[in-house]
Amino acid sequence: VPPIPGGGPGNFPPPPPLPGGLVPGDASAGDIAGLSPGDIAGFNPDQFGLLPPEAMAGFTPGQVAELSPDVIAGFNPDQFAEVPPEAVGGLSPDQFGLLPPDVMAGFTPDQFAQVPPKAIGGFNFEQFEALAPEAFGGFQPGHIKQMPKDFFAEFDPQSFQALAPEAMAGFKPKSFGALPPDVMGGLQADQLSELSKRVIKSFDLDQFEALPADAFAGFQPDQLKRLPKDLIASISPEEFSELSADALSGLKPKVAQNLDPSVFEELDAEQMGGFKPRTFKKLDGVQIEGIPANAFEGLTPDQGKKMNQVVASNFDPAQIRSIQPECLASLPDPVFRLLEGDLSASQLNGLEAL
């Protein structure tokens, strides 16, 4: 039997040409871009499999949306690597669920960022496990919200660390609570700062104690305000030292009383200025005693105005001598008289200069 001209392996006839007589193996990105959605819908797997990877650069979202299930399932990694990120936005949930695992392994963050959130509903576990850690850098809040709930327990630390801070806003209390404990040890400050107040409020002790100390630098005032008081009480000195002055402004007066006195030994002047006046007034003598003298340089006039004799009576001479003249000038007269005997000459001179 004479060979069939253009036949492939096994001497099968070649697949039919693309519209306009274009040979699939010779197609360019420009050729693909010029095809109508109807032309794209007519692709068969054999034709598609012969398209060179560089031709994929011509795909648009509307064209991708027209690819048949058989064609989607036949994508190879080299081809998919060339699909423009914006074109990935054309995938439907059904199409997304058909992408082979080896294609998922090649997803770039830019491509994944364009996957429609509703398409995540088509995710299967084999695909999820095939994703490279760096692909998680493309996750958006909508992806996290739409992810099947069983997947959260399968996050590994490397993939979790790759999540962009803005993606964290997609977590709900239940989905965040389903994360394995080992991922919490890699939570970064900028990731923590984007968690919703509802998620922060739902933290349990195991999760909280697994957080690295440097993650505490990400706490925002409204988040710290929502932390359960038993978790506030468990904050270590190292963790407390990472909290910003802005975050400390979120501490409620009664909750601040739950802080272990040892954490105040790490307080600095900037943090000192972050306490709300009402909160600072509620600190007890043991907590005040632990505050380094130089932290008192951060006391603000607003804090001074609300100072009372009860809290001021716990200040030692070194702490008193660190208070700036602007703060001293704002003190109620009975409080000033209480501290006056321990003021330094430079403080008194500073008061006169105001």
Side-chain angles (χ1 to χ4, degrees), residues 154-175:
E154 304 302 325
F155 259 102
D156 65 67
Q158 194 176 0
S159 299
F160 188 77
Q161 286 181 41
L163 289 174
E166 58 268 22
M168 307 303 285
F171 279 102
K172 298 174 183 176
K174 284 188 177 179
S175 56

Side-chain angles (χ1 to χ4, degrees), residues 323-330 336 340 343-354:
I323 301 173
Q324 296 300 297
E326 292 80 5
C327 179
L328 291 170
S330 71
F336 183 83
E340 189 175 16
L343 297 180
S344 67
S346 64
Q347 284 174 306
L348 293 172
N349 290 337
L351 283 167
E352 288 183 11
L354 291 177

Side-chain angles (χ1 to χ4, degrees), residues 176-263:
F176 196 82
L179 291 168
D182 60 347
V183 307
M184 301 304 294
L187 189 68
Q188 299 160 70
D190 56 356
Q191 290 177 317
L192 188 146
S193 70
E194 297 294 331
L195 289 172
S196 73
K197 292 175 285 188
R198 289 178 60 236
V199 167
I200 294 292
K201 190 176 180 179
S202 72
F203 266 164
D204 64 34
L205 187 60
D206 288 341
Q207 285 182 317
F208 192 71
E209 289 189 335
L211 292 175
D214 55 10
F216 281 69
F219 270 108
Q220 303 300 302
D222 282 348
Q223 292 175 321
L224 207 60
K225 190 182 294 183
R226 298 303 192 282
L227 268 182
K229 62 182 181 181
D230 60 321
L231 300 189
I232 292 285
S234 75
I235 293 177
S236 71
E238 184 184 6
E239 292 164 345
F240 189 81
S241 70
E242 296 286 345
L243 292 172
S244 69
D246 191 39
L248 288 172
S249 71
L251 270 178
K252 296 178 180 177
K254 286 186 178 179
V255 174
Q257 292 175 323
N258 290 296
L259 285 165
D260 190 280
S262 65
V263 306

